Amino acid sequence: MILSDNETRIDRLNNMAIAKTIVSILKENTESISIGVHGDWGAGKSSVLAMVEDELKKLNNPDQNNVSDIDSDYSVIRFNSWQYQGFEDAKIALMRAIVCQLEDTAKVYLEHHPIEHGIDEIKDIGKKLWKNLDKLSLAKNVGKVGVSIATGTAPLAIMEGIISTIKNTVVDQDKVEELIGTVGNLIDTSKEETSGYREMEDFRQNFKQLFEKAHIQKIVVLIDDLDRCLPKVAIETLEAVRIFLTLENTAFIIAADDAMIRYSVKEYFPRVHEENNEKQDTITKLDYNNFADKYLEKLIQVPLHIPRIGIAEAQLYIMLLMIESELGESEELQELGDVVISKLHKPWALEQLSTEEIKAALKDKYKDAIENVRIAKSIDKILAEHTGGNPRNIKRFINMLLLRTEIARNRGFDPNELKMAVLAKMMLIEQYNNDFYKALADEIDEEGHCKAFQITSEQELDEAKTEVNETDMSNNTSEGDEKKTKSKKETKTVTKTVCEKESDSIIVRNEQFKLFLQQEDIKAWMQIEPSLAGIDLRPYYFACTERIDFFFSSPEERLRELASVVRAGSFNTLNKKEEISALNTSDAKQLLKIVSQDVFVRDLSESQPPKSIEGIRCLVEYHSELQEDLVDFLLTLPFDKLGIWAVGGWDSCIPKTSNVRDKLRLFFKNVEESTTNPIIKSAAKESQR
């Protein structure tokens, strides 16, 4: 189950405390107010807004069983400026949304508390407000021309141009007529409109009248995703907030990263930043940061910051998310969440969830979530540290783990060959030490194993056994037996020294890999469960393939250039000796396999060996571990169709002192017995000596 990246009303991080604080401020404050909910990207600002909305609904309807109680103290509206970006002026969009909400609230009240001519009065006030907004919107959209229209000073030619533009750019015919009608109405009423100030004053008066008809204490506007907007949209939204703050009983809860809003202020007011004149002795440059701070102080009266969660809190969050991915938002998970919240009440003495606590909360569903619990306990510390405790980054990592596991299953990967616990461990190192992740791919042998992990694992096990044995011996030693105790300490020192020497003897394909294994973060990663010793890691690299192909790219593609060199013969292969010698055994074997296929399409009856055979002889000379592979290949050739080259010229790559020489003599014997050429038969017999 993929976890939703949207805001959640389920409190996982004790952020309900912030939501309840905001509601308390709203209840106690009788004037208009703006409250900022600040925090880093992904800190949970949207979730706090959702919790505030839920708490206000409880205040509106304290008796949950009495559904007929429709009287509300608070009218709540959610507004997302990001949705209007590029489509409509953000200031006008917010004003329209608030008017629409207030109008609907007033109508709902009158439906349950009928007043004679009440609906007509609301409609009349609404028409005035919409007319105000139409004028403001048109003036904004057509700039100075719109201002001239609103004041009745636009010449006829400009009017015709505006109407022509509307006809050519608006597709909906009804909308065309509506806009042209609006322009006409603005001209007709231009005598009444003397300035933008008068227009705003009319809007304020009409809004107050409508607010009274709604019979509510406060209208609460929840503004989200402001920090996602372009600077222009962000500032326009805040300017609309400023307009309403001059009215009574309006409240704005603004969720935004305050650092991003400061950036928007700087971008939107570039003229504030005056460069010094080099000729002047005094500094005239204004403090940009100070200006942004002052601007925010004017618009956001009560700033509240979501605290960044620590490593311990993040570990609890990871546990809850991993269990949720298996069980969903079940009652059992909610019960476990309550246990977590109770722990978060004392962050200075925070303890992780015990197995007993998890079992007690999940009850019968514990068995379904046990694997996810194990994974969470393995990855929680490293994941928490590298994400800085950011909730959204944590959730994204877990979602990627779930997605990759699901895709692998759908691609037919055997669950026994690709386990989510191992995939989670591999993803940690992929994301947080990608250089090691790439180096590890080069260390994997033909069976997908990393031998360094096996050796390291055995050393850790031996060291652990030594520690246990020495502890037991120490417990049985009398306090006065200092000589025996000293002997044990010396033994322990010797044991560790041996382990360090064994560490130096770890066989790797690239010496740089040893340096990785000495890094503290790699050591910590290797120690978390499960162990990767003896694990075929190839499926996990396949499951993580997104942008880079590692060892699993096709052999022909990866070794194409060197294969061409070896096929070209001994001279070309000699020129690439250093590069070919540097190949690890797995790649060298693969190169032999690729080039050897070329031999079958050549004429093998010639007296001179094919160029491919010349190159193969050089390859095996550089990689003596391929001697047996070469002889195995020779034994697959058609013995009766080979030229005299086949029974000579092998001493350079398979010396007579080699253990593989007896197997090569078998090849010579097969040629002797199969060929009808007396010269080749004689040479083959001679080669067996």
Side-chain angles (χ1 to χ4, degrees), residues 206-271:
N206 292 329
F207 184 84
K208 287 180 180 179
Q209 291 180 29
L210 185 59
F211 186 89
E212 292 174 359
K213 298 294 182 183
H215 290 82
I216 57 173
Q217 289 187 14
K218 200 180 293 289
I219 184 166
V220 181
V221 185
L222 308 176
I223 299 178
D224 199 7
D225 285 338
L226 195 61
D227 47 9
R228 289 189 179 188
C229 299
L230 294 172
K232 178 176 179 291
V233 177
I235 299 303
E236 284 178 350
T237 303
L238 290 175
E239 288 297 311
V241 171
R242 180 178 58 81
I243 292 170
F244 285 97
L245 288 177
T246 61
L247 303 173
E248 296 178 358
N249 300 316
T250 55
F252 292 87
I253 318 300
I254 304 168
D257 181 352
D258 50 343
M260 290 300 296
I261 300 303
R262 286 185 175 86
Y263 170 77
S264 295
V265 172
K266 295 174 184 178
E267 289 295 307
Y268 192 77
F269 300 104
R271 291 186 178 276

Side-chain angles (χ1 to χ4, degrees), residues 362-376:
L362 299 185
K363 303 177 180 66
D364 293 340
K365 292 189 177 180
Y366 175 74
K367 61 180 182 298
D368 298 326
I370 188 169
E371 180 62 20
N372 288 36
V373 170
R374 289 172 180 164
I375 294 172

